Amino acid sequence: MRAVQVSEFGGPEVLKVVELPKPVPADGQLLVKVDRAGINYADTHQAENSYLAQQKLPFIPGGEIVGRTEDGRRVVALSAGGGYAEYALTHEHLAFEVPDGVSDAAALALIVQGTTAWHLLRTSSHMQVGESVVVISAAGGVGTLAVQLAKLWGAGRVIGTASSDGKRGLAVDLGADVAIDADPADTLAERLIEANDGKRVDIVLEMTGGGVFDASLSALDSFGRLVAYGAASRTMGTPVAPNKLMAHSKSVIGFWLQDCFRRPAMMRDAMSELFGLVATNKLKPLLGGDYALTDVAQAHVDIRSRKTVGKLVLDPSK
């Protein structure tokens, strides 16, 4: 089978299409013929070995797939790597049958980005009706879904950040009350407060790190929650002293979707609700690009350069 393999760590140039044997499922595993594989920003970290989990060479990237099982079921599934290929393995408890009316791209948008947005709001921040929610990178895969979910679930005001007029317009079209540029970071806290009608914000969903993390924390109101779920800038924010949190009863919460994988109900509950919202057109995942397997390096260039909007997918048949 054809697959993308990483044999040395680095940027998009290390992604090579090679021929490899088709994987053989062990007990409890499913073999899936992959129709599309999802591309995530985390995949770029894995290629350079800068992610939370260390990688061992060689490996096939890709943690999400949609396709057919050997018994003919159409499923979207999580895999422990190996998704950038014509065939991939998953476990039964990490595979979800895709309902009619939900496209391959939409299913892939839900399995990681959708469940992340769901848990950021439901599990980590415990968003309450009427609260203000800031979505950093509101035009990204998680951001476009988080904006919509926050509005669906009764957020009082949703504020998005995005890097261009077009992306900010998209965030507003999806339901954000206002969208601003996160740069320059040194004035972001004041601009977030201004965007919230002069009031500090209740929740920030933050995946950039660096100065954006620092500014987001500064913009929080008393009992506000900052949920950190990425570091796209490749830098971390300033270490947070406990007294800075105690002074205004603020919280900084970390979220990593992989911690949900060991608790199947956390994935099952999220996917069930998300499938229902998509099937009834209440939630609209965005397709950001459909790349041939041979164009995988370009896909990583595009996602790293912040050119993309919505979900990127990879077609192993091309």
Side-chain angles (χ1 to χ4, degrees):
M1 70 170 187
R2 295 196 314 158
V4 174
Q5 188 175 66
V6 175
S7 298
E8 60 179 320
F9 294 121
E13 72 282 354
V14 304
L15 301 164
K16 306 295 184 183
V17 178
V18 299
E19 287 286 339
L20 294 173
K22 186 165 69 173
V24 178
D27 289 343
Q29 289 185 316
L30 298 173
L31 179 67
V32 177
K33 186 180 187 302
V34 180
D35 291 325
R36 292 292 190 280
I39 302 170
N40 287 308
Y41 201 90
D43 299 345
T44 70
H45 283 287
Q46 291 175 332
E48 63 185 18
N49 202 28
S50 63
Y51 199 47
L52 293 174
Q54 294 295 298
Q55 298 294 316
K56 293 183 179 179
L57 296 171
F59 69 94
I60 302 171
E64 54 188 43
I65 54 176
V66 64
R68 295 280 177 178
T69 62
E70 292 179 292
D71 60 4
R73 289 178 293 153
R74 179 174 172 246
V75 300
V76 62
L78 296 163
S79 60
Y84 289 14
E86 292 181 296
Y87 291 88
L89 298 175
T90 186
H91 289 274
E92 184 71 52
H93 72 279
L94 294 176
F96 306 89
E97 293 198 34
V98 181
D100 293 340
V102 177
S103 68
D104 285 353
L108 285 170
L110 298 181
I111 191 72
V112 170
Q113 278 104 338
T115 54
T116 295
W118 193 96
H119 281 293
L120 291 175
L121 293 166
R122 287 259 201 249
T123 306
S124 295
S125 68
H126 298 282
M127 189 202 89
Q128 301 298 307
V129 172
E131 288 190 311
S132 54
V133 178
V134 175
V135 181
I136 303 295
S137 297
V142 174
T144 53
L145 296 168
V147 165
Q148 294 178 71
L149 290 174
K151 291 301 287 188
L152 279 170
W153 294 338
R157 190 165 178 83
V158 176
I159 301 162
T161 75
S163 59
S164 69
D165 288 341
K167 289 184 176 182
R168 289 189 287 273
L170 172 64
V172 171
D173 289 343
L174 292 173
D177 295 283
V178 63
I180 64 174
D181 197 335
D183 294 326
D186 58 0
T187 64
L188 178 59
E190 292 81 4
R191 289 184 289 115
L192 287 174
I193 293 168
E194 180 183 1
N196 196 37
D197 292 333
K199 297 174 288 187
R200 291 182 175 273
V201 301
D202 296 310
I203 295 168
V204 182
L205 310 181
E206 205 289 295
M207 50 73 67
T208 302
V212 175
F213 175 93
D214 297 338
S216 298
L217 182 60
S218 296
L220 284 182
D221 200 356
S222 297
F223 298 99
R225 290 90 75 200
L226 187 160
V227 188
Y229 69 102
S233 68
R234 262 66 176 179
T235 60
M236 298 297 159
T238 304
V240 181
N243 65 307
K244 295 283 189 179
L245 301 177
M246 291 186 290
H248 297 286
S249 302
K250 297 179 180 180
S251 300
V252 175
I253 303 150
F255 178 78
W256 191 27
L257 186 65
Q258 286 199 26
D259 288 323
C260 299
F261 299 168
R262 293 184 289 275
R263 302 181 183 188
M266 295 187 76
M267 293 298 296
R268 186 172 58 249
D269 291 348
M271 288 298 291
S272 177
E273 183 171 6
L274 292 167
F275 275 148
L277 291 172
V278 171
T280 55
N281 291 316
K282 294 178 181 177
L283 180 67
K284 297 179 180 179
L286 303 181
L287 176 61
D290 192 344
Y291 294 81
L293 194 72
T294 52
D295 292 331
V296 62
Q298 185 62 51
H300 275 227
V301 168
D302 291 347
I303 198 170
R304 289 178 64 137
S305 64
R306 301 170 70 184
K307 291 181 179 178
T308 62
V309 172
K311 183 63 188 173
L312 306 188
V313 300
L314 198 63
D315 183 351
S317 71
K318 297 180 179 178

